[in-house]
Amino acid sequence: MPNRLTPKQAAPLFAGWPETPIYSCLSGTMGQLIGTARAAAAVIGDFAFLAGQPDAALLTSIAALQPQIVVPRTEAWAPVITAAYGTRVRRFERYATAKTTAGFDPRRLQQLADPPAGVQLVALNQHWFNVCQTLPWAEDFTRQFRNFDQFNALACGVLALHEGELVAGTSAYSAYPGGIEIEVDTREDYRRRGLATACSAQLILTCLGRGLYPSWDAHTKTSLALAQKLGYQLAYTYPAYLVAPSR
């Protein structure tokens, strides 16, 4: 039966898979590792990454964690995933960018980080950490961190304020020693104003200044287009499964 695994036990199954949320789990920073000697899941926030030999019991074991996005390492997992979730699951493509800083142009990023008139960019500090936790649209900016001290030690974020009100931001969905996985969102009534671009450009500059790698995996083609505008390069597409909540 699947059980909690130590990073040492799980590492061989995830070796060579360049997804930074997995790095977070394997470093013991955040998330959970569940499985057996032959199959494992790295579960962090809404994500479950599946490695090893397909195992229906493993999906049963992680059901209580309610992952919304399931990412298998190989196509062999596909029938097991569809059998486990039935009509609740939908397959789609995500877009991984190359884990390199070669495409970043600091001068262009500085230009892109210039916010629209009337908007101020600020660092995600203790005050805004607390505010993000009260706003459903912004909760993923901080949700994986135990507290602000952990966030401040491992990660960083950039928020856009209009008239003192939080309206957009870019932060760390997850973190590991040496890098973060970027999370971007804008309040619905402030979208398509360039706020995500400005916040993201400033966050990349901040990460580079701190020696952190700002990883970006895109959920949609719109997200990929923004990433490419900022200097990221598409590495590959990969299948994932969107799981609807159980009733």
Side-chain angles (χ1 to χ4, degrees):
M1 286 294 294
N3 295 296
R4 291 290 293 269
L5 299 177
T6 66
K8 183 176 180 179
Q9 290 171 321
L13 294 169
F14 291 104
W17 193 356
E19 290 295 331
T20 63
I22 296 174
Y23 300 169
S24 298
C25 294
L26 291 177
S27 68
T29 304
M30 54 184 58
Q32 300 182 47
L33 295 163
I34 299 169
T36 66
R38 302 174 68 182
V43 184
I44 183 167
D46 295 330
F47 289 82
F49 296 86
L50 307 177
Q53 298 184 10
D55 185 343
L58 179 58
L59 289 174
T60 300
S61 295
I62 66 172
L65 301 175
Q66 297 185 320
Q68 296 179 26
I69 299 174
V70 176
V71 183
R73 186 161 196 178
T74 67
E75 284 290 340
W77 281 93
V80 179
I81 294 170
T82 54
Y85 295 109
T87 58
R88 293 171 50 210
V89 73
R90 175 178 65 83
R91 180 180 169 126
F92 70 105
E93 296 292 316
R94 284 178 59 90
Y95 308 89
T97 61
K99 303 296 188 285
T100 175
T101 61
F104 296 143
D105 180 343
R107 285 188 295 180
R108 173 161 171 76
L109 288 169
Q110 288 284 4
Q111 294 170 346
L112 293 174
D114 187 24
V119 174
Q120 177 188 10
L121 300 189
V122 300
L124 201 167
N125 59 18
Q126 175 76 73
H127 168 74
W128 292 111
F129 184 93
N130 296 337
V131 171
C132 288
Q133 295 183 321
T134 70
L135 300 172
W137 70 268
E139 64 181 1
D140 278 342
F141 293 160
T142 60
R143 185 160 60 103
Q144 307 309 322
F145 297 87
R146 293 189 301 273
N147 49 46
F148 177 74
D149 287 342
Q150 185 193 32
F151 176 87
N152 194 45
L154 292 169
C156 48
V158 175
L159 305 177
L161 310 182
H162 181 243
E163 297 181 348
E165 191 172 358
L166 176 58
V167 294
T170 311
S171 185
Y173 182 82
S174 56
Y176 63 98
I180 67 170
E181 183 68 30
I182 287 181
E183 173 74 19
V184 184
D185 211 342
T186 303
R187 206 173 75 182
E188 188 171 2
D189 55 332
Y190 276 81
R191 292 176 182 170
R192 291 177 291 278
R193 301 190 191 186
L195 302 182
T197 298
C199 289
S200 298
Q202 185 57 57
L203 180 63
I204 293 168
L205 290 168
T206 301
C207 284
L208 296 179
R210 288 184 52 177
L212 299 174
Y213 182 73
S215 177
W216 189 303
D217 262 32
H219 188 73
T220 65
K221 289 185 177 180
T222 299
S223 175
L224 176 62
L226 174 56
Q228 291 172 321
K229 179 179 180 179
L230 295 162
Y232 290 93
Q233 304 159 19
L234 176 64
Y236 56 88
T237 62
Y238 61 91
Y241 293 81
L242 190 64
V243 182
S246 58
R247 296 181 180 179

